[in-house]
Amino acid sequence: MALSNSQYDKIIRSYEDRQTKNRHILEERTNHVYQAVDGYRALCESIASISVSQGKKLLEGDENALRDLKETLERLSDMKKQLLLNAGFPKDYLSPIYDCPDCKDTGYIDGQKCHCFKQAVIDLLYEQSGIRDMLEQENFSSLSYDYFSGEDLTYFQRNVATCKEFVKTFHTDYHNLFFYGTVGTGKSFLSGCIAKELIEEGCSVIYFSAAGLFETLSRNMYDYKNKEEFENLHEGLHGSDLLIIDDLGTEYMNNATASVFFSLLNERHLNRKATIISTNLFLEDMQIRYSERVFSRIMSNYTICKFTGPDIRHLKKSFK
């Protein structure tokens, strides 16, 4: 997944903040050592003056100047370390400070993204998904079939297989998923399972409840003051690798937001950006509630997954 400009800029700013923080720490340490360790400041100043002096000799053609400078700097460096040790400081107390020593807080090693940069991307994607806390509980590692039996179990097993295949082929095949069925039968749970797997792979995932999505769309349709917020919203909804719309049917919708909703689904389809929609409505209710073009778009471009069975959330509470 290619980061958007705003996402990349946010990560780079975090590296700049690290560098500034650590530079201030080092400055405070240096000032403290200057005051606490006799002779340390003078030694540092002598290193600077010797470097300038030997540099002039090198420019004047002294072939031994560079060798002499290296030997002198090594000797003075050892003296500095010894002064620190004698004063009770670690010998590397005034060495440069990095959160990530591997890339020296640049985010890159030999032109390649450092492991810390890749982790920063994942952390940002979790933050922007809006479901970090939910995904700590709802993931494939906590998947259980214990609450299902008979036909309900068959449906759920089939849906789990569909979701795992969706993740497996996400980078090579374009798919959308539509989850429908009774309350508490695992629709949101499996959406979360998919979201966690893809975020860990560095994909951008945006989650919205249907009520929250339509309220946000309605508010931003007529709010021209906060241009940056609107652009970020549009970028996330239309450009994220995966958009999850949960509990479709619980939102308040008017003609204007219905049109925007269709445009959103249509644009994501045209750009081959995956979408997962879940609802407690049955297909007949969907056809009545939404326009024919919305219903047709979902039926023709989404893999339909039916969920049946008991309300798992209710059962879990009963067992506590």
Side-chain angles (χ1 to χ4, degrees), residues 27-256:
E27 289 172 355
E28 291 174 355
R29 288 185 178 183
T30 301
N31 290 331
H32 177 57
V33 168
Y34 282 171
Q35 295 175 11
V37 182
D38 290 338
Y40 194 91
R41 180 194 287 269
L43 196 55
C44 291
E45 291 172 351
S46 70
I47 290 175
S49 63
I50 289 172
S51 297
V52 172
S53 174
Q54 292 299 106
K56 289 181 179 179
K57 291 182 179 180
L58 184 63
L59 291 174
E60 292 170 355
D62 186 342
E63 297 179 356
N64 297 322
L66 184 58
R67 184 200 63 199
D68 292 344
L69 177 61
K70 288 181 179 179
E71 292 176 352
T72 302
L73 291 180
E74 288 178 3
R75 179 172 53 82
L76 294 177
S77 178
D78 290 339
M79 292 174 63
K80 286 170 60 179
K81 292 176 182 178
Q82 193 60 50
L83 281 177
L84 288 176
L85 289 172
N86 292 342
F89 294 98
K91 65 180 181 181
D92 61 348
Y93 187 65
L94 295 184
S95 297
I97 302 168
Y98 304 112
D99 285 13
C100 179
D102 295 334
C103 69
K104 295 181 171 55
D105 291 343
T106 63
Y108 288 84
I109 301 174
D110 297 329
Q112 300 298 316
K113 290 184 178 69
C114 179
H115 59 83
C116 68
F117 191 100
K118 295 176 182 178
Q119 186 60 50
V121 171
I122 291 173
D123 291 341
L124 176 63
L125 295 175
Y126 266 119
E127 175 189 331
Q128 295 186 342
S129 72
I131 49 175
R132 178 192 291 271
D133 293 340
M134 184 182 85
L135 299 187
E136 291 180 1
Q137 302 296 326
E138 300 187 357
N139 51 71
F140 282 123
S141 64
S142 61
L143 177 68
S144 173
Y145 297 100
D146 294 344
Y147 300 99
F148 299 93
S149 61
E151 185 180 58
D152 300 335
L153 177 60
T154 301
Y155 276 125
F156 191 67
Q157 288 174 326
R158 186 183 304 153
N159 293 336
V160 170
T162 297
C163 291
K164 289 185 175 181
E165 184 66 17
F166 179 88
V167 171
K168 181 180 178 181
T169 61
F170 188 80
H171 298 285
T172 56
D173 297 330
Y174 164 63
H175 294 295
N176 301 299
L177 298 177
F178 182 77
F179 298 158
Y180 80 98
T182 51
V183 175
T185 49
K187 299 183 296 295
S188 297
F189 176 86
L190 287 182
S191 295
C193 290
I194 291 173
K196 181 175 178 62
E197 294 293 319
L198 294 181
I199 289 175
E200 292 290 340
E201 293 180 9
C203 299
S204 58
V205 177
I206 299 296
Y207 168 91
F208 266 102
S209 68
L213 173 62
F214 278 77
E215 191 278 328
T216 302
L217 290 175
S218 180
R219 183 177 67 250
N220 283 277
M221 283 172 62
Y222 307 106
D223 184 1
Y224 302 103
K225 296 180 180 179
N226 198 336
K227 182 180 179 181
E228 183 178 354
E229 180 179 344
F230 176 77
E231 290 176 348
N232 289 339
L233 172 67
H234 186 276
E235 181 181 276
L237 289 177
H238 294 262
S240 60
D241 295 321
L242 175 64
L243 172 64
I244 298 174
I245 304 173
D246 200 20
D247 279 338
L248 191 68
T250 60
E251 74 284 346
Y252 171 76
M253 184 169 57
N254 54 40
N255 290 336

Side-chain angles (χ1 to χ4, degrees), residues 147 182-186 308-318:
Y147 300 99
T182 51
V183 175
T185 49
T308 62
D311 186 337
I312 298 173
R313 289 187 288 261
H314 180 73
L315 288 178
K316 287 182 176 180
K317 290 180 180 180
S318 299

